[in-house]
Amino acid sequence: KAGFSGTKNERMFELMDGFLKNDPVSLQKDILHHVEYTVARSRFSFDDFEAYQALSHSVRDRLIERWHDTQQHFKKKDPKRLYFLSLEFLMGRSLSNSVINLGIKDQCAEALSQLGFEYEVLAEQEGDAALGNGGLARLSACQMDSLATLDFPAWGYGLRYQYGLFRQIIIDGFQHEQPDYWLNFGNPWEIERVHVSYPVKFYGTVKEEIVNGKTSKVWIPGETVEAVAYDNPIPGYGTRNTINLRLWAAKPSEGHDIESYNTGDYINNIVNRQKAEIISNVLYPDDRSYQGKELRLKQQYFFVSASLQDIIRRFKDVHGNFDEFPNKVALQLNDTHPSISVVELMRILLDEEHLGWKKAWNIVRQVFTFTTHTVLPQALEKVPVDLFESVLPRHLEIIYDINFAFMEELKKKIGQDYVRMSRMSIVEEGAVKNIRVANLSVVCSHTVNGVSRAHSELLKTRVFTDFYELWPAKFQYKTNGVTQRRWIVVSNPSLCALISKWLGTDSWIRNVDYLTRLKEHASNPDLQHEWRMVKKINKMRLAEYIETMSGVKVSLDAMFDVQVKRIHEYKRQLLNILGVIHRYDCIKNMEESDRRKVVPRVCIIGGKAPPGYEIAKKIIKLCHAVAETINNDEDVGDLLKLVFIPDYNVSVAELVIPGSDLSQHISTAGHEASGTGSMKFLMNGCLLLATPDGSTNEIIEEIGAENMFIFGAKINEVPALREQESTVKSPIQFARVVRMVKDGYFGYKDYFKSLCDSIENGKDFYLLGSDFTSYLEAQEAADVAYVDKEKWSKMSILCTAGSGRFSSDRTIEDYAEKTWGIQPCKLPS
Ligand code: BZD
């Protein structure tokens, strides 16, 4: 308007007439706008993918509005904030999740249908954001969803890998890894913040300088890399709160190395600068040991350094000194991967803020909390001192100082017990001197959390016994949980509608306690009937997918029996396959008349093997070899099928889990820290066949053992069984199926030899033989239960009804209160 005479702000308010509207017509206008001006296609000609892009940008606009308001609100209120530091986030798809959390799915579907597009088809266009390996990374994603939904003032920090977790392709039954070029088609869910960037230093030397009359350490780096922020808005459900996941990408640093430009080798200098980007190039596939990998250490420090600079800048915007820091900042270490941040914070407080050791140490010990996700002592990270010294020389000095202070403190408490002191030391002496990152994390955090009750006991009695004796109050546990928004509302819309109908409310989406009310209806034949219909719809979807992926046609009447998770010996996919062989063998040797009594099964296995893990890769090949034999055997027909689902990831899980009848969580007791897959299946009314490991005991408490199929040795029985293992003969059925593999019944005799050897008497570390008989019994019990449709439906309803305790909302509430000390900070609606 010409002649406007108000203030700049008034003018802005006048121009921006309120928030974007969510009715179908407004959405249509926005979508077409984005087709034309963002995607740069004609609004008269665009395909499904372009429609997906335009829709995503329309949704993103709405996220940005809320994101701005939320950040503004947090700034105004200045509450204590939680910073969740994790090297891995497995977010999966964003569109489907965002439209649910924004409450605009139906409006989007309607808007699109009038334009000739189908919402579901567009949602399928999106590739997964797979910036993580497995359980740990998906847990971070679920927790972000809960933090946003529960209005907590939280930020996530991580790395923006160019290549996420490898894609698994199967050629001739063997796993091959291919790079995941997830950014190739653009990513509408992130916002690049070119102005939010920080220099991150590496290598070099440390000098002493006198600052204000005091000696101070100065780190002269040998390399500087720039960290640039990419923000990913995380919307809460049923609230306007939208929090931020800030991921860092490495870019060459401006102004660095100007000297060398004068030497004339212009091209080479540009090429060298480009090498900086390597740091955030690729996610390490989890091999649970990164001993001596320089790039891994650089990735860790890179993201930690950028995050802390960002956090401190935000704090200093409001506060003049660090007295309030512990009251305003909680730093969560998601496993040991970000633990170098305790040293980095010490370094900043000492060398840059000149706070003095006592004050700095006091702050550090009040702000960090640590959650570990492993049981295996050998999986605890160690970094060779030499490597540390070269990459982070100043940090090594500080670690030595922290360790010295800790050892002095320890001496006062336990006297001169040098053996115990050397066990607890952060520095491991030996042929190769190492930094024990787990010990560093325990010493510097005020709370150490396990991820299930059983895990916590193992931490106290096996992994961190010395530390537990020293600081019993430090050790807590928060049983993991998963978000019902993603795992029911997004992935199982039919079940979602059914639950809301029978509860007469959809409040369970924000407050899972409501789910328990389903128990009252568990025996109701009408609900049971509708429940079975929903399962059938989901099984149909899954059956179609299986046929497309593997060419195998499966019967919907068969029980869909699923094990999907990373492939690892301790998770015992091999036990599952041997069980399938046993079932096959029984069917083959049965009288024709008995075959009619067999409960038909479709056994589904999916998961990625770490690229360097030979045995895990052989398990995948065995699955294919056995499937080849069984699926082509006319004697067997629909009574048994075995399928391997390739490239298992979050979006595949969203399809597989709702379509499963039975799921297997069969790790050797004492090895799975928690397990979260089981919780997703449980929510979807899928029965569990499980060992008493990780969080399963807690699931039993909620659901009742009578509604599950539990088998195998208990955690405290495993050590003795292992000792006896070489003297106790494995059961005949076990020996028989192993022999079939060994004798080449499924081909590849030589290739499978080492796999068979790994479970031979005396070498069967994961106790497959010892648990085999009870495994088969549990499988039989599942068959019997499945035939009784009413009974099965009731058990299935009770699974969903009892799954509330395994919502990440409960986990996060618990962390907020007992570990982080944060309060909700809700945007006024
Ligand atoms: O963390 C998993 C545990 O194995 C599960 O039992 C548990 O439920 C989840 C969540 O707490 N651990 C991992 O997923 N670990 C990793 O992925 C990992 C990644 C890099 C390095 C080491 C481990």
Side-chain angles (χ1 to χ4, degrees), residues 359-376:
K359 213 164 175 183
W361 185 224
N362 191 29
I363 290 174
V364 165
R365 286 189 121 176
Q366 287 183 73
V367 293
F368 284 100
T369 57
F370 166 51
T371 297
T372 164
H373 300 263
T374 193
V375 180
L376 313 170

Side-chain angles (χ1 to χ4, degrees), residues 83-122:
Y83 295 106
F84 189 95
L85 308 180
S86 178
L87 211 48
E88 300 191 8
F89 289 90
L90 210 38
M91 303 305 283
R93 288 177 175 150
S94 283
L95 175 62
S96 48
N97 190 65
S98 299
V99 299
I100 288 293
N101 281 14
L102 295 178
I104 58 169
K105 183 180 166 196
D106 293 343
Q107 296 90 313
C108 287
E110 195 181 328
L112 289 166
S113 114
Q114 289 171 4
L115 298 175
F117 292 92
E118 207 181 318
Y119 164 76
E120 272 75 21
V121 174
L122 300 200

Side-chain angles (χ1 to χ4, degrees), residues 301-373:
Y301 179 65
F302 173 77
F303 114 84
V304 152
S305 162
S307 306
L308 278 175
Q309 290 183 64
D310 202 37
I311 292 163
I312 290 174
R313 181 206 33 86
R314 191 169 305 115
F315 175 81
K316 284 170 89 175
D317 273 353
V318 185
H319 301 274
N321 61 47
F322 279 84
D323 294 351
E324 278 295 293
F325 198 73
N327 299 325
K328 295 292 174 186
V329 173
L331 292 164
Q332 165 69 15
L333 305 172
N334 196 29
D335 217 293
T336 52
H337 319 154
S339 292
I340 184 70
S341 53
V342 299
V343 191
E344 174 65 358
L345 182 58
M346 269 310 272
R347 189 193 66 80
I348 295 171
L349 297 179
L350 290 172
D351 298 356
E352 291 176 11
E353 303 293 339
H354 307 290
L355 241 49
W357 179 272
K358 223 171 146 187
K359 213 164 175 183
W361 185 224
N362 191 29
I363 290 174
V364 165
R365 286 189 121 176
Q366 287 183 73
V367 293
F368 284 100
T369 57
F370 166 51
T371 297
T372 164
H373 300 263

Side-chain angles (χ1 to χ4, degrees), residues 475-720:
F475 287 77
Q476 303 182 356
Y477 74 92
K478 310 278 175 289
T479 302
N480 283 166
V482 301
T483 164
Q484 68 271 28
R485 266 85 55 190
R486 167 86 54 166
W487 296 109
I488 303 181
V489 187
V490 173
S491 65
N492 198 345
S494 321
L495 186 69
C496 172
L498 185 62
I499 295 172
S500 297
K501 178 185 150 191
W502 278 81
L503 295 182
T505 172
D506 63 4
S507 301
W508 59 273
I509 302 175
R510 270 186 68 89
N511 180 355
V512 267
D513 293 345
Y514 280 94
L515 278 184
T516 44
R517 294 200 198 159
L518 274 177
K519 283 186 191 156
E520 298 157 24
H521 309 290
S523 301
N524 185 311
D526 294 333
L527 172 60
Q528 290 194 355
H529 175 72
E530 291 173 37
W531 199 263
R532 284 194 291 271
M533 295 312 289
V534 165
K535 185 58 79 184
K536 192 141 195 184
I537 295 169
N538 291 321
K539 284 174 80 170
M540 269 161 67
R541 278 201 308 172
L542 177 53
E544 269 171 36
Y545 186 75
I546 289 174
E547 194 173 349
T548 321
M549 298 312 289
S550 64
V552 181
K553 244 188 150 58
V554 297
S555 156
L556 294 183
D557 294 329
M559 182 203 297
F560 283 17
D561 162 355
V562 178
Q563 187 182 19
V564 279
K565 47 184 88 232
R566 291 300 293 267
I567 312 286
H568 204 291
E569 281 162 288
Y570 86 79
K571 294 181 189 277
R572 298 201 295 192
Q573 284 90 354
L574 184 52
L575 177 63
N576 187 353
I577 299 169
L578 294 175
V580 174
I581 298 176
H582 173 78
R583 185 173 282 266
Y584 171 66
D585 189 37
C586 291
I587 297 173
K588 287 292 278 182
N589 294 313
M590 241 175 224
E591 294 292 324
E592 185 65 40
S593 58
D594 284 334
R595 287 205 183 138
R596 259 171 263 137
K597 292 182 213 142
V598 173
V599 182
R601 284 246 189 167
V602 177
C603 300
I604 299 162
I605 297 179
K608 295 177 183 178
Y613 192 168
E614 264 311 301
I615 295 267
K617 289 185 143 176
K618 291 194 177 195
I619 292 173
I620 292 178
K621 175 61 189 170
L622 179 64
C623 182
H624 284 90
V626 173
E628 178 80 15
T629 306
I630 296 180
N631 298 346
N632 294 310
D633 190 330
E634 285 179 5
D635 287 351
V636 176
D638 275 346
L639 293 185
L640 183 61
K641 291 277 181 251
L642 173 60
V643 285
F644 186 88
I645 297 203
D647 203 36
Y648 178 67
N649 59 20
V650 176
S651 54
V652 174
E654 288 176 37
L655 182 77
V656 170
I657 294 171
S660 313
D661 294 305
L662 182 76
S663 76
Q664 301 198 33
H665 308 277
I666 57 177
S667 49
T668 314
H671 288 263
E672 194 67 272
S674 162
T676 45
S678 53
M679 301 168 182
K680 299 162 196 165
F681 283 101
L682 202 66
M683 282 184 175
N684 282 276
C686 172
L687 274 55
L688 306 188
L689 192 144
T691 46
D693 197 15
S695 56
T696 304
N697 285 322
E698 291 161 76
I699 297 181
I700 297 173
E701 279 171 14
E702 290 297 300
I703 311 292
E706 68 285 6
N707 293 311
M708 302 169 67
F709 307 101
I710 304 297
F711 76 97
K714 300 198 167 54
I715 295 177
N716 54 15
E717 295 167 350
V718 164

Side-chain angles (χ1 to χ4, degrees), residues 166-380:
F166 66 87
R167 297 249 169 91
Q168 178 191 54
I169 58 160
I170 304 289
I171 302 173
D172 201 17
F174 292 97
Q175 166 176 304
H176 292 257
E177 299 90 31
Q178 285 197 338
D180 167 43
Y181 301 103
W182 75 293
L183 293 168
N184 266 12
F185 296 100
N187 175 15
W189 305 105
E190 65 181 8
I191 301 144
E192 184 182 8
R193 305 281 186 201
V194 280
H195 297 297
V196 184
S197 79
Y198 300 96
V200 178
K201 303 180 270 187
F202 297 99
Y203 308 106
T205 49
V206 181
K207 277 194 190 156
E208 282 191 354
E209 258 181 19
I210 308 289
V211 179
N212 298 336
K214 281 191 202 154
T215 341
S216 185
K217 298 276 189 165
V218 180
W219 175 20
I220 324 257
E223 180 186 290
T224 304
V225 177
E226 205 68 17
V228 179
Y230 286 75
D231 288 344
N232 300 259
I234 311 287
Y237 178 93
T239 168
R240 283 184 59 77
N241 276 44
T242 297
I243 59 174
N244 197 15
L245 170 59
R246 180 160 279 181
L247 302 179
W248 301 104
K251 295 274 154 75
S253 160
E254 285 302 319
H256 168 61
D257 221 13
I258 289 182
E259 278 287 284
S260 57
Y261 281 88
N262 301 330
T263 61
D265 195 357
Y266 171 72
I267 297 295
N268 240 338
N269 284 324
I270 300 266
V271 170
N272 281 337
R273 272 166 55 87
Q274 235 52 44
K275 286 188 187 147
E277 292 180 12
I278 286 175
I279 293 182
S280 57
N281 241 8
V282 55
L283 165 78
Y284 271 97
D286 158 32
D287 61 4
R288 308 224 166 172
S289 161
Y290 302 98
Q291 275 269 39
K293 302 221 167 92
E294 180 169 337
L295 181 58
R296 172 83 177 174
L297 179 63
K298 286 180 82 174
Q299 287 189 338
Q300 296 183 343
Y301 179 65
F302 173 77
F303 114 84
V304 152
S305 162
S307 306
L308 278 175
Q309 290 183 64
D310 202 37
I311 292 163
I312 290 174
R313 181 206 33 86
R314 191 169 305 115
F315 175 81
K316 284 170 89 175
D317 273 353
V318 185
H319 301 274
N321 61 47
F322 279 84
D323 294 351
E324 278 295 293
F325 198 73
N327 299 325
K328 295 292 174 186
V329 173
L331 292 164
Q332 165 69 15
L333 305 172
N334 196 29
D335 217 293
T336 52
H337 319 154
S339 292
I340 184 70
S341 53
V342 299
V343 191
E344 174 65 358
L345 182 58
M346 269 310 272
R347 189 193 66 80
I348 295 171
L349 297 179
L350 290 172
D351 298 356
E352 291 176 11
E353 303 293 339
H354 307 290
L355 241 49
W357 179 272
K358 223 171 146 187
K359 213 164 175 183
W361 185 224
N362 191 29
I363 290 174
V364 165
R365 286 189 121 176
Q366 287 183 73
V367 293
F368 284 100
T369 57
F370 166 51
T371 297
T372 164
H373 300 263
T374 193
V375 180
L376 313 170
Q378 68 268 30
L380 299 174

